[in-house]
Amino acid sequence: MATEHLSPLDLAFWRIESAAHPMHLGALAVFTAADTGAAAGTGTAAGTGAAEHAAELLTARCAAVPGLRRRIRDVLLPVGAAAWSPDPHFDPARHVFLVRTDAVDPHAAAGPLMARPLDRELPPWEAHVLAGPDPDSFAVLFKFHHALADGLGALALAASLFDEGPALRTPPERPAPERRPVPEQRAGSALRRLPGVLAARVQDVGQALEIGAAVARAGLPLGVPAALTADAAGRGTRTVAGLALDLDEVNLVRKGAGGTVNDVLIALVAGALRRWLADRGDPEPHGAGPRALIPVSRRRGPAGTSGAGNRLSGYLLRLPLAEPDPLRRLARVRVAMDRNKDAGPARGAGAVALLADHVHPLGHRLGGPLVAQAARLLFDILVTSVPLPGLTFSLGGSRVREVYPLAPLAAGQSLAVAVSTYKGTVHFGLVADASAVPDLPALAGALRAELDALVREVS
């Protein structure tokens, strides 16, 4: 079997991780337990609670998903590279955990779990079933290392553990095409191909230089609110908060003010940050505003969620926190996003993920810690969106009521915002450095207030 090396970007995510800054994605799924009849149809044993039954199902199903049985191992060649290999001692009990908590809000339990790095000797994922005081509901926190999958890839892996649904299952891998013998070629034919090889190399170098120049033009992190910065060394503490908003209200703003749903969501983040800072008594924002990195998926097509690894680029824009008018703030976000889209996801300062392809594996191994510390120079806050299919997720007959995506925190940054839309509701998942942002629920409240203000403006 041929060795499957990590792609340059996957390797970068693997190398930049530290104990204080784990590089795993998260998704907090909140379930409503099935009624007695539905539970009976799924084989729930008498006296078994919904959370316990969910943990049993996840334990039984994960062993059948090949992508969840693989671990990462260093290889001799190329020097500095790493590759996927089957875990010969795979044990579901080391990945699926039943957690009993007295917290009514599952986000309170999710914070400490998000702070805990995954075991790098095991397949890099975990599922924590949170059994709270309410017997009629439970939650599951999924954790997938960023080297294993991006947001869409993680969705496919998590969906493979849910109840049967043809659109949720990861499509089976296609057999590799039959290898035909390569005809012998003379030196002259290789020379004729050389201009094309050189042209491709020159194009790659040109793209890297263009992205680097865009990063330089994006400017240093000047005038960024102190609340968006954290001690680069970090203590590894995390706090998590979530907010659910009505998608119809978001669409009302979109129709009244123009732009896309994503434009409105980014503007909501900008307005909420402004409100939150004012409520804290922080200085009024000034200047162009903090730089938000907006990841962009390079997956295409209905089966685009299949496959492991990352296929990402990104856009970079300044969040106009200094603009006091909500509609003008949205207009500025819309102009900036239109400018990014015109340039495309392969250009501009937000496309820094593509630079990983130009780094030798040894460079990733030796330079990983330096790159992790340099994230603060590239962007100030992550704002990412993970689209979900228009289907109903369930586990053992219990239906998913809410889905909150959770993003990792880079060194020196205090806040990451992730958004998903599920069943007509927009879910904001907020992850923060607990020491730098002790009042994260207040930011969630500011998001609600900002949407209310925009709805009033367009009504």
Side-chain angles (χ1 to χ4, degrees), residues 243 269 272-273 276 415 417 430 437 439-448:
L243 177 72
V269 173
L273 287 173
W276 176 61
L415 177 67
V417 180
L430 311 176
V437 184
D439 57 341
L440 189 60
L443 178 57
L447 282 164
R448 174 71 266 177

Side-chain angles (χ1 to χ4, degrees), residues 150-417:
D150 54 24
L152 289 175
L155 167 65
L157 287 171
S160 65
L161 299 174
F162 288 151
D163 294 342
E164 187 65 36
L168 297 179
R169 295 295 187 189
T170 303
E173 295 184 3
R174 297 179 180 178
E178 181 181 357
R179 299 181 63 89
R180 298 180 180 179
V182 179
E184 182 180 356
Q185 296 178 336
R186 299 181 181 276
S189 64
L191 288 175
R192 285 192 294 271
R193 296 198 316 274
L194 188 57
V197 174
L198 290 176
R201 176 63 62 184
V202 169
Q203 185 178 13
D204 289 345
V205 172
Q207 182 191 43
L209 291 175
E210 184 177 20
I211 295 172
V215 170
R217 290 194 299 270
L220 294 173
L222 301 175
V224 178
L228 293 184
T229 63
D231 181 0
R235 300 180 183 176
T237 56
R238 294 289 180 269
T239 181
V240 171
L243 177 72
L245 298 175
D246 192 336
L247 180 59
D248 287 342
E249 291 185 298
V250 174
N251 275 319
L252 179 65
V253 174
R254 176 188 61 81
K255 294 174 182 177
T260 66
V261 166
N262 201 41
D263 293 341
V264 176
L265 297 178
I266 295 171
L268 282 176
V269 173
L273 287 173
R274 178 182 171 86
R275 291 173 180 274
W276 176 61
L277 293 170
D279 291 341
R280 288 164 54 105
D282 289 8
E284 185 172 346
H286 64 280
R291 299 158 303 167
L293 179 64
I294 317 293
V296 177
S297 174
R298 293 188 291 151
R299 297 176 186 265
R300 294 290 183 270
T305 58
S306 64
N310 291 266
R311 302 174 194 175
L312 293 173
S313 183
Y315 297 142
L316 193 75
L317 63 83
R318 294 275 185 174
L319 295 178
L321 269 59
E323 172 56 61
D325 182 84
L327 287 181
R328 290 180 181 175
R329 217 164 26 239
L330 172 55
R332 289 181 59 177
V333 167
R334 179 183 178 186
V335 168
M337 285 299 289
D338 286 346
R339 188 183 303 118
N340 276 315
K341 293 171 186 175
D342 289 341
R347 301 169 59 188
V352 289
L354 302 183
L355 295 180
D357 293 337
H358 304 281
V359 179
H360 188 275
L362 183 59
H364 285 296
R365 170 178 282 184
L366 299 179
L370 294 177
V371 172
Q373 296 299 316
R376 181 69 183 84
L377 299 176
L378 300 175
F379 63 97
D380 305 304
I381 182 174
L382 179 71
V383 182
T384 183
S385 178
V386 182
L388 298 179
L391 300 169
T392 299
F393 294 90
S394 64
L395 180 61
S398 297
R399 293 191 173 187
V400 175
R401 186 173 76 245
E402 303 164 12
V403 182
Y404 297 93
L406 304 172
L409 274 184
Q413 297 172 348
S414 67
L415 177 67
V417 180

